[in-house]
Amino acid sequence: MDAPNPPAASAPRWQPIKALDRRVLGVLAEKAKTTPEAYPLSLNALVTGCNQKSNRAPLMEIEADVVEASIDRLKQLGAVVEVQGSSRVARYRHLLYEWLGVDKVELSVMAELLLRGAQTEGELRQRASRMDPIADLAALRGLLQSLTAKKLVVSLTPEGRGHVVSHTLFEEREMDKVRAEFGRTGIAGGEMEEAPRPSMPRPASTGPAANTTMAAAADSSLSSSSSAVARELAALQSEVVELRDQVRQLRYELDELKAALR
């Protein structure tokens, strides 16, 4: 059964963690909400959840001993606790409300980010809503603002259509790669600096009336051009998100192949 909200006095204790540890925490948070009758999870159930083919990126094929080592690390960090099941089989429960310092719905958002990494607001709202209802993008953005203030979420692209966000539990080198993957520059305080607007050529001076008419035409042309550019950028961002997921999966499979050949 999913835990209630943490007491107001609890202080978050989170820190960047390894990719497998993020997967383990994401699975525990997800299953607590979607299959409470099977929660806390046994080691076997946790391995199955980590290797699940749906709602995971990248896909993994990991063994029980690897997951067990991850659990040990997370127990030392105070993010997971072992409990005894009715059949005397060890089971595991997350402590993410206290560890992250989040509320019920914020944890659903964080769980999806831990399970799939960076994604658009639209994708995130749809996926997180299977655990806790999120009415619309405005509601999600309120949650993201709160999580950003807690330094748990960061924007990877400018706000607006196709806005991509990620959690911040990546280790330092991974975080650098994620930022570079989205070509993010001009970051200040978690916000993307506004790109400079294109300058328009100044018309030749032919009198006040002509200047006014030509200025209005220039503004109209700029507005039309900006709208077209915005539509093209939105379409490109959508394609980039899909390609990013494919590249991430290919990289993971390549790393697994290299490891198998060693």
Side-chain angles (χ1 to χ4, degrees):
M1 185 173 180
D2 200 17
N5 294 349
S10 64
R13 305 185 298 273
W14 67 272
Q15 64 184 64
I17 51 178
K18 298 178 181 297
L20 179 56
D21 299 348
R22 299 193 300 267
R23 174 63 57 87
V24 168
L25 288 179
V27 170
L28 286 170
E30 175 195 51
K31 299 305 182 183
K33 291 175 177 289
T34 59
T35 57
E37 68 281 358
Y39 182 80
L41 299 184
S42 66
L43 178 60
N44 287 340
L46 193 47
V47 171
T48 299
C50 288
N51 292 334
Q52 187 174 308
K53 302 303 181 185
S54 60
N55 203 50
R56 304 287 187 268
L59 299 181
M60 293 183 174
E61 286 293 341
I62 49 180
E63 302 295 333
D65 59 335
V66 179
V67 174
E68 197 165 19
S70 173
I71 292 171
D72 289 340
R73 289 192 297 270
L74 292 169
K75 285 164 61 178
Q76 291 177 5
L77 292 175
V80 169
V81 64
E82 181 178 334
V83 297
Q84 200 68 41
S86 57
S87 61
R88 296 187 179 181
V89 173
R91 292 178 177 271
Y92 304 96
R93 180 191 297 275
H94 72 76
L95 299 174
L96 290 177
Y97 288 111
E98 297 84 358
W99 198 68
L100 294 175
V102 295
D103 66 24
K104 188 172 183 289
V105 187
E106 287 174 345
L107 182 57
S108 294
V109 173
M110 287 300 298
E112 280 301 331
L113 290 172
L114 290 171
L115 291 171
R116 294 190 64 99
Q119 51 199 290
T120 65
E121 289 179 333
E123 293 169 331
L124 183 56
R125 188 196 72 81
Q126 181 180 13
R127 291 164 178 162
S129 291
R130 67 195 177 90
M131 290 184 278
D132 283 300
I134 301 175
D136 50 30
L137 283 179
L140 174 71
R141 285 166 184 156
L143 295 167
L144 292 176
Q145 287 176 359
S146 175
L147 292 169
T148 299
K150 296 173 182 178
K151 302 188 184 303
L152 288 167
V153 165
V154 64
S155 292
L156 295 177
T157 64
E159 293 184 3
R161 188 185 179 105
H163 179 211
V164 178
V165 298
S166 174
H167 65 77
T168 58
L169 271 66
F170 294 101
E171 294 182 312
E172 185 175 354
R173 290 184 179 179
E174 287 183 285
M175 192 75 251
D176 290 342
K177 288 181 180 179
V178 171
R179 292 184 191 277
E181 188 175 349
F182 288 89
R184 189 161 186 258
T185 58
I187 301 169
E191 297 293 337
M192 173 72 74
E193 290 184 359
E194 184 178 359
R197 297 182 64 179
S199 59
M200 296 295 294
R202 295 178 60 87
S205 177
T206 57
N211 284 345
T212 300
T213 301
M214 295 181 71
D219 287 343
S220 176
S221 174
L222 177 59
S223 177
S224 176
S225 175
S226 297
S227 297
V229 169
R231 288 194 297 270
E232 291 178 6
L233 283 175
L236 286 171
Q237 285 176 342
S238 179
E239 292 179 11
V240 166
V241 169
E242 293 180 6
L243 289 171
R244 171 180 53 77
D245 285 344
Q246 294 175 17
V247 169
R248 183 178 295 173
Q249 181 60 36
L250 287 172
R251 285 176 178 168
Y252 177 79
E253 292 175 357
L254 180 60
D255 289 343
E256 288 292 294
L257 180 59
K258 288 179 178 178
L261 292 174
R262 285 178 187 145

